[in-house]
Amino acid sequence: MTSADIIFTGGAVLTADRKRPTAEAVAVAGDRILAIGTTAEVLAHQGPKSRMIDLRRGCLMPGFVEAHGHPVLDGIVRSGAMIDIRPVTAPTAADVLDRIKRELVSDDDRVAHFFGWDPLLQEGLGTPEKAWMDEMAPDRPFIITHNSGHAVYFNTAAARVAGVSSATEDPTGGSFGRDGDGELTGVAYESAGWRLRALTAHRPDELIPVLATEFAALSAAGVTTISDIGFDPAHRPAFDQAARNGVLTARVRMYEKAGPALRSEVPLDNGDDLVKQIGIKIWCDGSPWVGNIATSFPYLNTPQTTAMGLGCDHRGHPNYTPEQLREISEAYFAAGWQLACHVHGDEGVDMVLDVWEELLGRQPRPDHRLRLEHCGTMTAEQYARAARIGATCSLFVDHLHYWGDVLVDGLFGPERGARWAAAGSAVRAGLRISLHNDPPVTPEEPLRNIAVATTRQSSSGRVLAPEERLTVDQAIRAQTIDPAWQLFCDDQVGSLEPGKYADLVVLSADPHRVPPREIAGLEVRATFLGGRQVHGEVL
């Protein structure tokens, strides 16, 4: 009988495997799970060199899977190359303005790029105006990226360095703000903003310490697999080098940004179980916090929508025409790629489903796992339609924690705002869903996702559409095996089964044994990637 390198006993074991949902002990040999079962069954694999780990009444689970992340961008924000003004680190308008002023009075002539502006949570802020940005930094390039990432504000100096002028054409899927005379107003939406954000781009060798910082944070949150969704292929050499150097402490699945060439230079067969590109990311609409999600109903007329700069009865619109979305989807799907489409508004969801249903009728592919991302105002009927065509959804439930009250009172009212990210409807429709944090928009916090999905509580304690709650088991699946399925790696990770990678997280308690809201506060005692401990105390 094969001897184990590690044996875990003395606590709860949650497998996320429906055939055997719980166990008493787990054995690991090399980078794989060797055995799962009763303590007696697993101890049969104990050898003279087996490392025995007592869980101390804690809980062993599959490592968490982040199906919709941006590890490069999050790492750049963490590293300070973009100055962090997110609400989670700068909660008030005074905090934000103080950080901006302190940076701009320095003698540094590099691009001053701030990430995280959010008038909805940082009350007192409005929309950054170009005249103010020019006054604050007459000669230094000055950029502010909205906390959603869907709007970039810039001064005249930044436009000059980026080569952006009133003559610059809007790219497909994006636009520059212009006044009545066609002059730039200092804001770029969606893909137009990429040109400004590129001013703080890193060389591959400069990204290695950024990735080291980011992946340490992911391990601390118990994450062992993450997607980079909206991936820049120029970053691939950095990931490959980081993998060789042992810097990557989580597996990475990449979704390249859809580009104007409508093709990827990366072959479908690329990478390995640690780093691999698997899909293409497209954006049907934008962010609720910017005002450009495609809904069949208007925003409310409130102080919050005024602070966002929205007019009376404002409605957003899609980034693409149906013809553009059809062209992009067809080109990449025909080349064999999985598609992941960002969409919040119900009108946008209908557009995506119309295009994809037509696409699948002409180019049928079993088990395509086409993905809808975020799905803020998606309805029960639309979830059922997605299930019929075999699509899947990744939901941003953490919005409810941070913006739940704003969604109801400031943006969409109790009927639509409270039902945001309707996970219960999605599961009842038969969909396999994932929960995500979209870092750096919100911090990587899978345990809070599970807590929010099971309580539907905002940070104030307000309960939003309790009929859309998940059970603890459903929420755990949406943070482990089901996102692994979405990432086409459920045969390798996402559940504790013999033969799968020993990607594990040790929690201070079984999430079933604490009140649901307290799940967010459980401690991540240790994280293992392929049997190697990458975070936590020595157990």
Side-chain angles (χ1 to χ4, degrees):
M1 185 174 289
T2 303
S3 293
D5 294 312
I6 306 173
I7 293 179
F8 296 89
T9 62
V13 176
L14 305 181
T15 69
D17 174 14
R18 286 199 168 111
K19 297 188 299 293
R20 186 171 200 164
T22 62
E24 295 178 352
V26 173
V28 173
D31 61 0
R32 305 281 178 159
I33 296 171
L34 174 63
I36 300 172
T38 66
T39 302
E41 289 170 339
V42 171
L43 286 179
H45 294 276
Q46 183 178 2
K49 296 183 179 179
S50 297
R51 176 186 172 191
M52 304 299 296
I53 295 182
D54 184 352
L55 295 171
R56 303 194 322 256
R57 298 185 180 181
C59 180
L60 182 70
M61 288 179 54
F64 296 122
V65 179
E66 169 58 88
H68 186 114
H70 305 280
V72 173
L73 179 58
D74 195 42
I76 289 172
V77 173
R78 288 180 183 276
S79 73
M82 290 183 187
I83 300 159
D84 189 354
I85 56 170
R86 294 175 299 164
V88 292
T89 62
T92 69
D95 295 330
V96 172
L97 297 175
D98 180 62
R99 291 190 189 186
I100 290 174
K101 290 174 183 175
R102 281 192 283 116
E103 173 62 27
L104 294 180
V105 298
S106 70
D107 295 329
D108 199 331
D109 60 356
R110 295 178 302 171
V111 175
H113 194 159
F114 300 84
F115 185 97
W117 184 280
D118 189 339
L120 294 175
L121 298 186
Q122 297 156 328
E123 294 184 18
L125 295 182
T127 300
E129 296 182 353
K130 186 180 177 186
W132 172 73
M133 296 184 71
D134 282 343
E135 180 183 352
M136 293 292 291
D139 303 309
R140 183 177 177 184
F142 174 23
I143 299 170
I144 297 173
T145 294
H146 189 275
N147 191 49
S148 67
H150 288 265
V152 178
Y153 308 95
F154 56 93
N155 70 347
T156 299
R160 183 171 58 250
V161 174
V164 174
S165 71
S166 58
T168 302
E169 293 184 0
D170 290 344
T172 300
S175 62
F176 292 97
R178 304 175 193 272
D179 63 20
D181 297 322
E183 296 299 317
L184 297 179
T185 60
V187 60
Y189 296 103
E190 306 304 327
S191 58
W194 300 348
R195 191 159 175 176
L196 279 303
R197 279 166 44 178
L199 296 182
T200 48
H202 287 56
R203 298 191 313 269
D205 60 306
E206 295 173 323
L207 281 177
I208 302 302
V210 168
L211 293 175
T213 299
E214 173 66 9
F215 278 78
L218 292 172
S219 297
V223 173
T224 54
T225 299
I226 187 170
S227 73
D228 192 337
I229 196 157
F231 172 71
D232 184 343
H235 297 156
R236 182 63 181 265
F239 276 95
D240 291 339
Q241 183 179 337
R244 291 190 297 270
N245 295 351
V247 167
L248 298 187
T249 56
R251 305 180 195 281
V252 185
R253 296 296 179 267
M254 298 160 171
Y255 291 77
E256 184 179 334
K257 296 176 182 176
L262 300 182
R263 67 175 183 272
S264 174
E265 301 301 328
V266 178
L268 284 173
D269 185 10
N270 68 89
D272 54 26
D273 292 348
L274 186 60
V275 178
K276 187 173 185 178
Q277 180 175 321
I278 64 169
I280 303 295
K281 171 74 178 298
I282 52 184
W283 286 262
C284 178
D285 62 5
S287 167
W289 327 131
V290 172
N292 60 345
I293 67 172
T295 59
S296 62
F297 49 86
Y299 279 71
L300 302 178
N301 300 312
T302 64
Q304 290 88 345
T305 53
T306 298
M308 294 165 64
L310 307 184
C312 184
D313 295 335
H314 172 85
R315 281 179 56 187
H317 55 80
N319 293 328
Y320 309 121
T321 65
E323 292 73 25
Q324 288 172 325
L325 181 61
R326 184 176 298 108
E327 181 184 23
I328 294 169
S329 298
E330 187 167 29
Y332 286 109
F333 190 75
W337 292 108
Q338 181 193 24
L339 305 179
C341 186
H342 169 118
V343 61
H344 268 302
D346 63 325
E347 197 170 79
V349 171
D350 277 338
M351 178 194 288
V352 177
L353 292 177
D354 287 346
V355 168
W356 284 0
E357 194 163 18
E358 177 188 335
L359 177 66
L360 291 167
R362 288 184 286 107
Q363 299 183 33
R365 183 186 304 165
D367 201 23
H368 51 77
R369 307 184 200 185
L370 295 178
R371 293 178 48 171
L372 297 164
E373 307 299 302
H374 306 323
C375 311
T377 66
M378 193 164 169
T379 67
E381 294 76 14
Q382 289 173 325
Y383 284 120
R385 185 181 175 196
R388 286 196 299 272
I389 69 169
T392 181
C393 297
S394 188
L395 304 186
F396 200 162
V397 293
D398 215 12
H399 274 169
L400 298 177
H401 174 74
Y402 291 98
W403 292 273
D405 294 344
V406 172
L407 280 164
V408 175
D409 299 331
L411 303 186
F412 301 120
E415 180 182 351
R416 296 186 175 99
R419 287 195 68 261
W420 193 263
S425 290
V427 171
R428 286 190 292 272
L431 288 170
R432 295 182 73 169
I433 65 168
S434 61
L435 310 177
H436 65 254
N437 287 113
D438 200 14
V441 178
T442 63
E444 191 62 65
E445 43 191 13
L447 287 167
R448 187 186 302 282
N449 287 345
I450 294 170
V452 172
T454 54
T455 64
R456 300 282 299 183
Q457 284 186 309
S458 70
S459 58
S460 71
R462 182 179 190 171
V463 176
L464 306 174
E467 68 276 11
E468 297 298 344
R469 290 171 174 157
L470 299 182
T471 67
V472 172
D473 282 333
Q474 288 169 335
I476 287 174
R477 288 188 62 84
Q479 201 70 67
T480 55
I481 187 61
D482 288 344
W485 175 82
Q486 290 179 337
L487 299 176
F488 283 92
C489 57
D490 53 309
D491 58 332
Q492 303 166 358
V493 301
S495 61
L496 305 187
E497 300 179 59
K500 286 192 173 184
Y501 283 112
D503 293 0
L504 315 167
V505 61
V506 179
L507 304 180
S508 55
D510 180 344
H512 298 91
R513 302 297 181 185
V514 300
R517 189 168 187 178
E518 294 181 15
I519 294 172
L522 293 179
E523 176 192 357
V524 176
R525 288 182 177 171
T527 306
F528 293 78
L529 181 76
R532 175 172 69 99
Q533 187 168 350
V534 293
H535 167 75
E537 61 194 80
V538 177
L539 298 176

